[in-house]
Amino acid sequence: MSADLTPSRAATIPERPSLDGLEDKWGQVWTQERTYTFDREAALSGPRSAVFSIDTPPPTASGSLHMGHVFSYTHTDCMARYKRMVGFNVFYPIGWDDNGLPTEKRVQNFYGVRGDATLPHDPAFEPPHRGDAKSLRAGDAMPISRQNFIELCDELTVEDEKAFESLFRRLGQSFDWDISYRTIDDHSRATAQQAFLRNLARGEAYQAEAPGLWDVTFQTAVAQAELEARDYPGAYHRVAFHPVGGDDAVAPVHIETTRPELIPSVVALIAHPDDERYAGLFGSTVRSPLFGVEVPVVAHPLAEMDKGSGILMCCTFGDLTDVIWWRELQLPTRSVITRQGRIQAEPPEWIAGGPGAELFGELGGKTVHSAREVVVAALRESGDLDGEPTATQRKANFYERGEKPLEIVTSRQWYIRNGGRDAELNAALVARGDEVDFHPDFMRTRYKNWVAGLNGDWLVSRQRFFGVPIPVWYPLDAHGEPLWDEVIVPSEESLPVDPAAQAPEGFEESQRDQPGGFIGDADVLDTWATSSLSPQIAAGWRQVDESGSVTTDPVFDKVFPMDVRPQGHDIIRTWLFSTVVRSHFEHGTVPWTNAALSGWILDPDRKKMSKSKGNVVTPEDVLREHSADAVRYWAASGRLGTDAAYDVGQMKVGRRLAIKVLNASKFALSFGEVEGDLASRVTNPLDRALLAGLAQVVARATAGFESWDYTRSLEVTESFFWTFCDDYLELVKDRAYGSQGDAEAESARATLRIALDVQLRLLAPLLPYVTEEVWSWWHEGSVHLTTWPTAEEVAVPGEPVDPAMLGAVGAALATVRKSKSEAKLSMRAEVARITLGGPEALLHHVRAGEADLRSAGKVTGSLDLVAADAWGASDVELIPVEKPKAQTQS
């Protein structure tokens, strides 16, 4: 045994053990005693291999946590607790992702406001609402200054994070709360800006005026990783283009389009080079209907011969394929849709003065939908619409948080290279995936497929307010025009900076927006551009010393690369990949060696639970109703990478298990103490069989955790625990009540304490509250800071005993009890005679444990054992327990 299990203080076992109040009781103790604090000094003085570091996901601080958070964060916590018990110094930080669009949306709805960069700051501003707006339309929101809006974002996220922390503490998350951050705090902003500036200096970050995805609702650019393809109702319109130079007898070229409003922006008709129907047209030109603009007919292999008429119009820009054609065929740019999702007001130069100028005047300022109606009516009138539109469901790209299809507009944005346009970099980032152990392993394929399928670099600039400002300024020439290629950057020591509110070094604020002066970049970094640096932020990659110099915390090399990144499988393409990109550039390595991917929580209709779908269950009431341990049991029952149903029934099973731990432990500890070395007192073969079986369970539970299969650890431990309760406790309780000094009694009592001690430690990572409570009844210190059990420490001196003995004697006892039940007698009824049949290979185990079997089964008469295919009883004679006679009044 690893230690003498005799308690060093008197046991304090409650009269009526209960789960109620354990979260408050032990949560307070863990906080006061700093139970889960990372030992910084030990890390600095010891080897990197002694540390287990976790890149904890920072949850989005926008509203409330849901059961999906409970599910996935519990998985990580089980592993953290296990690693702590096997001797690692666990680095387990917690952060809050509080910048970006989700926060802005929540602030807009909560306070009834919207940001307006043209308005001045009002130091005394009070919002019109504080969560009491019933139904607020976007147009009714009060416009406020950028700074006022940021202040409200900061105010609300702080309150949300307090609620999040309370819930995580109640759940039993063993974070080191001293290692925490907010993605909008000074440290995180400075870290993100420093990484961006280094990307810029090395040529990994660049800006470009290019077509990009644009959300007209949120007025921001959108990255490829944020796309969501959805069905969208539309209609095919068969439209005639007329060959240039031909007479009226020459047949028109018909294309089919769902977006006729983009005809003013058409730059070419495109067909597949092998399509014989259009081979004679390649190299010629056609005239667009209504607007009379000449465009070429060209070939490209992305045109689908079997789709519609097989020839398509390329507009700048209708979809991502248009962008590819525009780039590869070097076509002109003729954009007509503005950032507001409306047709531009003035006719563009290729239409002005032409036959369609007047019509375009009608389109100017209209929404895409309204413009489509006008164009279709004009096509019908001109005869260029062949037949009527045919309804269809088309796939359209949406921003994952948006409600309208994305448009493609040309704008100046910042990018970080990610292999989407660089085959060599793409191959290097694919290879990085082979340096990470994915759990489950098939998730590696998702990573590789995503990286290999990229078609553009990472768009990192966003037209929002609440985020990390892009830390650059631009000088203005003598005419007040920005010199985009001559960026002004701050020193790393001055970070964080806000170019919209601060002047760059060498300039004064009065020179802002003035010829010869400067302008600050008004955009912020994509939220993933900050959270992709979560390992660097938490581990102190950027640290400012007393002299103001920027350094790196020496503990950084002791925790980075981190040991594990836990996260949802749906954000492999965003958070996981972007973190790999940043680490590849900055450190030349992967950011962690393991990636643990949790599945989704599904509602009763097997749909993913999410706040946007409105089908979430908030965990606060669930935790109070069932207990944290019961909810953790449900979560730990779901394997990595596998979606799981929200299952109250499973929580009830977990609560029953936790209650049984309390009651069985109280019972097992009630027989009194055993002096000296416990292992040397275990002499009875049934006791030795129990510990032999427990040694196997320890080995299997350990293997489960080591293979990231904590669910398997729970299954084998729980199964053994119920056998311990239902069979072993019943078989030995009479013997355990024996007198002090009785070797058989002391063998039972010693076995009970050894088995209970080990099982509590096996269950501790999974059910932290109930195991800590029971541990405190007879041990000093925390069960979570003791050692994980080993198979060797359960071994007892002497010849080994077959673990199957306990199962055999337990099955025999169950057969005896079944006989009483079938006779409708009390379990206290005596057995005057019984013949038990069972598998011949197990009967010798029953004979060895006959004394305990007789005692537990109240077998006072003859007990015969015969070989049989299955357990059964015959020749049974039972003696009912006499009921006490009622006393009569004389």
Side-chain angles (χ1 to χ4, degrees):
M1 305 296 293
S2 63
D4 184 351
L5 301 184
T6 303
S8 57
R9 58 185 170 91
T12 54
I13 304 176
E15 183 65 29
R16 295 178 180 274
S18 172
L19 299 181
D20 296 340
L22 293 188
E23 291 92 349
D24 292 334
K25 172 184 176 180
W26 290 110
Q28 185 176 3
V29 171
W30 295 334
T31 299
Q32 291 174 345
E33 297 184 355
R34 298 169 61 83
T35 303
Y36 308 119
T37 299
F38 173 67
D39 191 335
R40 179 184 173 87
E41 296 307 315
L44 290 173
S45 61
R48 168 65 181 87
S49 59
V51 173
F52 185 83
S53 53
I54 302 170
D55 183 17
T56 315
T60 302
S62 57
S64 61
L65 295 172
H66 56 75
M67 293 306 294
H69 292 105
V70 169
F71 183 69
S72 58
Y73 281 84
T74 296
H75 296 170
T76 310
D77 190 65
C78 290
M79 289 300 299
R81 289 178 177 277
Y82 166 75
K83 292 294 185 180
R84 205 176 277 117
M85 293 179 73
V86 295
F88 286 96
N89 185 7
V90 176
F91 182 84
Y92 195 11
I94 179 62
W96 311 110
D97 192 3
D98 44 15
N99 68 53
L101 185 58
T103 297
E104 291 197 21
K105 285 178 63 179
R106 173 157 160 73
V107 166
Q108 289 167 356
N109 295 333
F110 189 86
Y111 294 110
V113 299
R114 60 180 174 85
D116 185 337
T118 65
L119 297 177
H121 178 241
D122 179 1
F125 174 73
E126 281 294 324
H129 299 282
R130 288 188 178 274
D132 55 353
K134 299 297 182 183
S135 180
L136 189 70
R137 295 183 303 172
D140 296 334
M142 175 185 291
I144 62 174
S145 75
R146 173 180 180 274
Q147 188 58 37
N148 283 128
F149 189 84
I150 291 173
E151 289 168 356
L152 291 180
C153 290
D154 196 54
E155 174 185 290
L156 190 57
T157 53
V158 167
E159 293 305 310
D160 285 343
E161 287 154 15
K162 289 179 182 177
F164 285 16
E165 178 175 341
S166 175
L167 182 107
F168 273 144
R169 287 184 181 273
R170 187 170 192 84
L171 183 60
Q173 295 298 113
S174 60
F175 301 131
D176 182 347
W177 291 96
D178 292 333
I179 312 174
S180 64
Y181 62 89
R182 303 173 65 218
T183 56
I184 202 64
D185 65 25
D186 285 352
H187 171 64
S188 296
R189 285 187 291 125
T191 302
Q193 289 182 338
Q194 177 174 304
F196 175 81
L197 291 174
R198 293 190 180 186
N199 290 138
L200 179 60
R202 292 190 296 258
E204 298 146 5
Y206 65 94
Q207 58 175 326
E209 184 88 22
L213 295 159
W214 185 267
D215 189 283
V216 298
T217 303
F218 298 113
Q219 286 293 290
T220 186
V222 174
Q224 182 181 351
E226 297 168 309
L227 297 186
E228 187 174 287
R230 302 179 197 165
D231 288 326
Y232 191 72
Y236 278 118
H237 305 76
R238 184 174 169 84
V239 178
F241 280 70
H242 300 277
V244 174
D247 56 33
D248 293 341
V250 177
V253 180
H254 287 96
I255 63 97
E256 293 185 11
T257 179
T258 59
R259 301 202 63 182
E261 74 279 7
L262 292 180
I263 290 175
S265 66
V266 67
V267 292
L269 294 190
I270 299 178
H272 194 279
D274 297 334
D275 196 331
E276 296 179 356
R277 292 172 293 176
Y278 304 108
L281 286 175
F282 295 144
S284 67
T285 58
V286 293
R287 185 177 291 108
S288 65
L290 304 180
F291 301 97
V293 178
E294 293 187 16
V295 297
V297 181
V298 295
H300 194 281
L302 284 182
E304 300 177 59
M305 289 189 285
D306 58 351
K307 184 176 181 180
S309 60
I311 189 167
L312 305 91
M313 67 175 185
C314 174
C315 303
T316 51
F317 297 92
D319 58 24
L320 291 174
T321 305
D322 284 344
V323 177
I324 296 173
W325 285 333
W326 166 80
R327 182 179 293 120
E328 294 185 3
L329 299 173
Q330 298 184 350
L331 299 169
T333 302
R334 292 175 181 166
S335 299
V336 296
I337 297 180
T338 67
R339 289 187 175 192
Q340 286 69 39
R342 295 175 180 271
I343 305 298
Q344 69 183 55
E346 298 296 325
E349 52 91 13
W350 62 90
I351 288 178
E358 183 177 348
L359 174 61
F360 194 94
E362 295 181 38
L363 302 178
K366 290 188 180 298
T367 65
V368 168
H369 179 76
S370 297
R372 184 178 306 150
E373 293 179 339
V374 172
V375 170
V376 170
L379 288 169
R380 190 177 286 117
E381 183 178 346
S382 70
D384 291 317
L385 181 66
D386 184 9
E388 284 300 304
T390 303
T392 184
Q393 284 286 107
R394 66 185 179 94
K395 285 289 185 182
N397 284 318
F398 285 74
Y399 174 39
E400 59 189 0
R401 300 182 184 277
E403 298 174 356
K404 294 181 179 180
L406 295 170
E407 295 293 347
I408 298 177
V409 301
T410 300
S411 59
R412 181 172 293 278
Q413 303 288 345
W414 280 98
Y415 299 84
I416 291 179
R417 303 185 193 280
N418 68 354
R421 296 181 180 177
D422 182 334
E424 184 177 349
L425 176 58
N426 189 281
L429 292 172
V430 168
R432 286 294 183 202
D434 292 326
E435 300 177 41
V436 177
D437 288 331
F438 284 79
H439 308 283
D441 185 67
F442 70 81
M443 291 292 178
R444 184 191 316 277
T445 303
R446 296 195 186 185
Y447 170 86
K448 289 188 172 184
N449 289 344
W450 170 255
V451 181
L454 289 168
N455 56 30
D457 285 329
W458 178 14
L459 173 68
V460 295
S461 50
R462 292 293 183 273
Q463 291 64 53
R464 306 302 305 171
F465 289 156
F466 196 55
V468 177
I470 293 178
V472 299
W473 297 264
Y474 308 96
L476 300 178
D477 64 16
H479 303 288
E481 294 298 320
L483 302 174
W484 300 112
D485 296 330
E486 299 180 19
V487 294
I488 304 169
V489 299
S491 65
E492 290 189 358
E493 288 76 14
S494 66
L495 302 177
V497 297
D498 183 357
Q502 296 171 242
E505 186 177 351
F507 291 84
E508 296 180 356
E509 187 60 35
S510 60
Q511 294 175 274
R512 186 183 295 274
D513 301 326
Q514 301 300 310
F518 70 92
I519 59 169
D521 199 305
D523 292 346
V524 298
L525 290 169
D526 166 26
T527 185
W528 298 113
T530 302
S531 54
S532 64
L533 297 164
S534 53
Q536 291 86 344
I537 292 170
W541 170 63
R542 174 192 164 87
Q543 177 179 268
V544 180
D545 63 21
E546 295 179 356
S547 67
S549 299
V550 175
T551 62
T552 295
D553 190 326
V555 85
F556 180 79
D557 292 333
K558 299 294 187 177
V559 302
F560 185 91
M562 291 190 167
D563 291 280
V564 62
R565 151 65 68 80
Q567 64 165 73
H569 63 74
D570 53 326
I571 51 175
I572 289 174
R573 70 190 195 280
T574 48
W575 192 34
L576 189 147
F577 176 56
S578 62
T579 310
V580 171
V581 170
R582 305 306 285 279
S583 183
H584 174 79
F585 283 142
E586 192 61 46
H587 308 287
T589 183
V590 290
W592 4 256
T593 52
N594 293 276
L597 291 308
S598 293
W600 289 338
I601 293 303
L602 307 177
D603 67 12
D605 295 326
R606 305 297 295 175
K607 294 179 180 178
K608 177 192 176 184
M609 277 193 175
S610 68
K611 286 186 282 187
S612 62
K613 289 183 171 65
N615 61 350
V616 299
V617 176
T618 54
E620 289 84 353
D621 293 340
V622 178
L623 285 168
R624 294 187 184 279
E625 179 180 357
H626 299 287
S627 83
D629 280 341
V631 173
R632 287 173 66 98
Y633 173 90
W634 158 74
S637 299
R639 284 186 164 83
L640 285 174
T642 303
D643 296 343
Y646 173 72
D647 189 351
V648 171
Q650 191 81 339
M651 295 177 199
K652 291 179 179 178
V653 173
R655 182 175 177 86
R656 177 171 170 257
L657 173 63
I659 292 173
K660 191 66 174 180
V661 169
L662 289 175
N663 294 331
S665 299
K666 175 179 168 60
F667 183 67
L669 294 172
S670 68
F671 298 107
E673 302 175 10
V674 180
E675 299 296 333
D677 177 55
L678 297 183
S680 64
R681 303 303 178 94
V682 181
T683 55
N684 183 281
L686 186 66
D687 303 336
R688 296 167 64 83
L690 174 86
L691 295 185
L694 182 55
Q696 293 179 345
V697 169
V698 169
R700 293 166 66 193
T702 303
F705 270 111
E706 289 297 320
S707 62
W708 299 81
D709 190 357
Y710 43 79
T711 304
R712 181 61 178 155
S713 299
L714 173 60
E715 288 171 350
V716 298
T717 303
E718 179 188 11
S719 177
F720 184 86
F721 177 74
W722 284 112
T723 299
F724 172 75
C725 296
D726 296 341
D727 292 344
Y728 183 75
L729 284 180
E730 292 300 318
L731 284 165
V732 305
K733 64 182 178 182
D734 286 347
R735 175 158 57 93
Y737 276 123
S739 62
Q740 195 73 22
D742 179 349
E744 286 294 299
E746 291 201 351
S747 177
R749 289 198 290 265
T751 302
L752 285 169
R753 293 199 168 229
I754 293 171
L756 181 59
D757 179 281
V758 170
Q759 289 178 95
L760 287 176
R761 286 184 280 158
L762 291 175
L763 289 169
L766 306 149
L767 310 177
Y769 286 107
V770 71
T771 52
E772 186 78 298
E773 171 69 11
V774 174
W775 191 262
S776 73
W777 295 347
W778 60 311
H779 285 298
E780 296 286 357
S782 171
V783 67
H784 304 298
L785 296 182
T786 192
T787 56
W788 180 256
T790 63
E792 291 74 22
E793 75 177 78
V794 186
V796 294
E799 290 295 320
V801 177
D802 186 354
M805 178 182 178
L806 176 60
V809 181
L813 176 61
T815 304
V816 171
R817 290 180 164 178
K818 181 181 179 182
S819 299
K820 296 180 183 181
S821 178
E822 290 174 345
K824 298 183 179 180
L825 293 178
S826 164
M827 291 299 113
R828 293 185 293 116
E830 292 185 14
V831 180
R833 183 177 64 251
I834 191 169
T835 297
L836 294 179
E840 186 173 7
L842 299 178
L843 293 182
H844 72 286
H845 288 317
V846 179
R847 292 188 184 97
E850 183 175 336
D852 287 328
L853 173 61
R854 283 180 170 274
S855 177
K858 308 299 182 187
V859 181
T860 57
S862 64
L863 169 62
D864 295 321
L865 300 176
V866 297
D869 293 336
W871 289 102
S874 61
D875 192 21
V876 180
E877 181 182 345
L878 303 175
I879 303 174
V881 177
E882 291 187 9
K883 295 181 180 180
K885 294 181 180 180
Q887 294 183 351
T888 58
Q889 186 173 1
S890 59

